[in-house]
Amino acid sequence: MRALIQRVNHASVTIEGEDARVAGGDGAPITHSIGRGYLVLLGVGQNDDEATAEKLWTKASKLRLFEDETGKTNLSLSDVGGELLLVSQFTLYADCKKGNRPSFTKAGAPQRALELYEHFAELARRDGAKVETGWFGAMMRVNLENDGPFTIWLDSDVL
């Protein structure tokens, strides 16, 4: 699994059109948003499983990316009561070594990736985070105000 974590002041994801209808709406835009916290773009690889998701969430949840009263990054998401916006992002597995069109053969199969994406969200909820999500596989518009900017790349293969 791969996660691109952005510390944000606020972030939102909007699903529109046919994807909004598939997501259970009437086609009107559906927007999920958070305040201060993390926007996590999450990619699932071919060999990932529930243990991989747990390892990645454990690391992400304990990262000290927020500043304390002295300006040092000593506080975790839970320390600041932060929120989480989780957006599926299979393109984190893009392989650009050959040619000019990325290959996504290392990304997980869609059904299994969906299961692990949902498992990751449940792990965060279990730990008390307010979690909002995009719609898996949908075309989405993501808006954010990056705080810093502060962006961290996590790859479960090297944790």
Side-chain angles (χ1 to χ4, degrees), residues 73-96:
T73 52
N74 279 326
L75 303 175
S76 69
L77 187 67
S78 64
D79 292 334
V80 299
E83 302 174 353
L84 179 76
L85 177 59
L86 184 63
V87 177
S88 62
Q89 189 77 44
F90 78 95
T91 60
L92 292 177
Y93 277 90
D95 181 347
C96 299

Side-chain angles (χ1 to χ4, degrees), residues 8-42:
V8 297
N9 291 321
H10 55 84
S12 65
V13 60
T14 301
I15 307 134
E16 298 179 353
E18 183 59 30
D19 286 325
R21 280 188 279 286
V22 171
D26 59 3
I30 298 170
T31 300
H32 297 154
S33 61
I34 63 164
R36 183 179 187 205
Y38 293 163
L39 166 62
V40 176
L41 304 177
L42 185 71

Side-chain angles (χ1 to χ4, degrees), residues 55-74:
K55 178 170 75 169
L56 190 65
W57 169 247
T58 297
K59 185 63 158 182
S61 69
K62 293 181 180 176
L63 285 174
R64 297 182 301 170
L65 304 183
F66 294 94
E67 295 176 355
D68 64 16
E69 63 281 349
T70 66
K72 302 271 187 208
T73 52
N74 279 326

Side-chain angles (χ1 to χ4, degrees), residues 108-144:
Q111 184 56 41
R112 184 65 175 142
L114 171 59
E115 292 167 4
L116 292 173
Y117 168 79
E118 290 174 343
H119 183 65
F120 190 92
E122 284 308 310
L123 291 170
R125 288 183 182 106
R126 176 199 69 194
D127 287 349
K130 175 193 172 196
V131 178
E132 295 289 342
T133 63
W135 185 258
F136 187 89
M139 184 63 105
M140 297 171 275
R141 297 191 195 295
V142 179
N143 291 294
L144 68 130

